Each structure stands twice: as structure tokens, then as C-alpha cells.
Amino acid sequence: MMDDRDKKLIVKFVSIFLGVATVFVAVKALAELRSYQYIGRAPGTVNVVTVSGVGEANVRPDIAEISFAVTAEGAKVADVQKKATDVEKKVLDFLKEKGIADKDVKTNNYSLSPRYEYRQALCTPTYCPPSGVRTLSGYDVRQDILVKVRAIDEAGAIVGGLGTLGVTDLSGVTLTVDDADKVKREARAAAIKDAKQKAESLAEDLGVSLTHIVSFSDNNGGPVYPLGANKMEFGMGGDSATAPAPTLPVGENTYRSTVTITYEID
């Protein structure tokens, strides 16, 4: 005959068994219910729609990037380096007077190279050498400089001033935006909104509902420059010492983003 202690122990084991069995049955039932929504589908597949959206953001440039070179040539290394250094000093002094910070003046390249000439060897009445002789004729030095002008309305005056200081290859001015990432985000947000609207219209036409986003990709390109407004070239012809400073129309830069979104549908 069992005493009270044995009875309590049996009741405890039975309660634990029933609890575990209940949880097991509940989990199996939930799995079965979830499987109904995949009846008629291939295993592991879901119904989706994919849409693309395009967005743009227009902004007035606030920075002008000016590129140019300081070059010199001569018979001796010391001579060409001094010539280039003299021009560079004038350029840096001029830029400082215009309020350009040291951090916004950058040397992209500096090269010093020998220059050779081929001279025809002297011929005798009976013999002429088959080729000329390479002879060192001097040295060339070149320093490429990039200047970032933050007071963009002063860019024209700076371009005009640089043209009077003996620089060369003053051929490109790019008008850009300091915080380009902010503008790109605006373009991407517009593209996402466009894609979402397309997805909602498509879902309505199909008679389905959008549930959640399955995948997303973003092709956030760079700015689209209006032709003739924000990327210009300037020649060095004429008397640069008396020529007026060029006028640089600023216009707007357009940043464009394309996104692709895949939605699961019911």
C-alpha cells in the first residue's frame, strides 16, 4: 500500500509528463498551420514582386575645384627647380590673399625628368652612321596642383588671377558639393518613395497585398552635370595679364539614384 509520499511523487511525475506532452503537441500543431500557406508552392519559395524606383535631388554647387600645373625647363636641375619654386610661391601667396586655407591646396603630382634630343651623327665622305645620338639637352619639372575654393562666387576671380602668374594647363574647373552624401541620401529617399508607389499600384492591380521587403539594392550614382554649366574648360590664349576674370555660371548639380526593391506578397 502506497503512502502519501509515494502518491505525491507519482502525481508530480505525471504533471511534468503532461506538461511536456502539451508543449510538444502545440508546437506540432503550429507547424502544421504554418505549412498550409505553402500548399501549392515549391518548397522554400515565396510569392514576390520586384519594382525599381528613380529619384533625383538638385542642389547648387558650393565648392569649385580648380586644377593647374606649374612647369619649368632648363639646362640644370637647380635652374628648373628654382623657376618652378618661384612660380609656386607667387601662386601660394595669391591663394592665401584670396582666403584659401592651406588644407584646400593639394599637390597631386611632382615630377622632374631629363629631356633628350636625337642628333644626327656626322657623316664622312665614305660612311654615315645608321642612327642619331641621344644627347641630354636639359630637364623638365612639373607640379600638378588642385585648389578647393569654398567661396564659390570668387572662383572666377581666382581663375583669372592664376592665369597671370605663369601657371600652365589651367584647363578645368569642376563645381561640386561639399556634403555630397547628404544629397545622395535625398535622391535615394526619392527613389525609394517612387518604388514604393509603384509596388502599391502593382499590388492593387494584381489583387494582392504587400507584406514585407525581401531584398533591396541601390545604384546611387554621382552627379549629372548640366552641359556647359558646371564643368568647364578655359583656354590660356590672349594676354592673360589684362584679360578680365571669367564668369562661371554655377547652375545646379543633379544627383540621381536608382533602387530595386523586392516585396513578398499575399
Side-chain angles (χ1 to χ4, degrees):
M1 189 173 184
M2 292 188 295
D3 55 17
D4 291 340
R5 181 179 178 184
D6 292 335
K7 290 180 180 179
K8 290 180 180 179
L9 186 60
I10 292 173
V11 171
K12 182 176 180 181
F13 281 136
V14 170
S15 298
I16 293 174
F17 174 77
L18 291 176
V20 172
T22 301
V23 173
F24 176 77
V25 172
V27 170
K28 290 290 289 181
L30 182 59
E32 289 294 327
L33 289 173
R34 288 180 174 175
S35 68
Y36 286 135
Q37 63 179 313
Y38 296 105
I39 294 176
R41 302 183 187 177
T45 63
V46 294
N47 291 329
V48 297
V49 293
T50 300
V51 293
S52 295
V54 179
E56 293 184 350
N58 299 314
V59 63
R60 184 181 188 271
D62 54 14
I63 286 180
E65 294 182 344
I66 304 171
S67 59
F68 59 91
V70 174
T71 60
E73 60 182 38
K76 298 180 179 180
V77 171
D79 292 340
V80 295
Q81 287 183 323
K82 184 178 185 308
K83 290 178 183 178
T85 300
D86 290 344
V87 175
E88 180 192 18
K89 185 178 184 307
K90 293 178 183 179
V91 168
L92 295 180
D93 290 344
F94 169 75
L95 294 176
K96 187 166 293 188
E97 291 175 1
K98 290 296 183 179
I100 306 298
D102 291 342
K103 66 177 183 179
D104 291 329
V105 183
K106 178 181 178 181
T107 295
N108 283 335
N109 173 68
Y110 185 93
S111 62
L112 173 65
S113 56
R115 185 175 68 255
Y116 294 93
E117 293 180 356
Y118 282 88
R119 298 176 182 176
Q120 184 64 44
L122 297 177
C123 297
T124 68
T126 59
Y127 174 76
C128 190
S131 62
V133 177
R134 191 176 75 159
T135 304
L136 177 66
S137 61
Y139 296 88
D140 296 324
V141 66
R142 179 185 178 93
Q143 182 177 4
D144 293 302
I145 298 176
L146 178 67
V147 177
K148 185 179 290 187
V149 181
R150 299 184 184 275
I152 195 168
D153 293 333
E154 297 294 321
I158 291 175
V159 169
L162 288 172
T164 69
L165 298 177
V167 304
T168 61
D169 295 340
L170 180 58
S171 59
V173 176
T174 300
L175 306 185
T176 185
V177 180
D178 191 24
D179 191 359
D181 289 339
K182 178 182 177 182
V183 187
K184 290 179 181 179
R185 288 195 300 269
E186 294 176 2
R188 183 176 59 201
I192 293 173
K193 182 179 180 181
D194 180 47
K196 184 177 180 181
Q197 291 174 345
K198 291 178 179 177
E200 291 173 347
S201 298
L202 181 60
E204 182 179 355
D205 294 340
L206 294 174
V208 297
S209 299
L210 302 175
T211 57
H212 60 274
I213 295 175
V214 175
S215 66
F216 171 84
S217 64
D218 175 20
N219 180 18
N220 200 338
V224 180
Y225 295 103
L227 182 61
N230 292 320
K231 194 158 188 177
M232 299 181 156
E233 293 191 353
F234 301 87
M236 296 294 291
D239 185 0
S240 59
T242 59
T247 301
L248 308 183
V250 175
E252 285 187 339
N253 287 358
T254 299
Y255 286 77
R256 183 172 299 153
S257 176
T258 302
V259 302
T260 301
I261 305 176
T262 298
Y263 290 88
E264 184 176 353
I265 59 174
D266 282 338

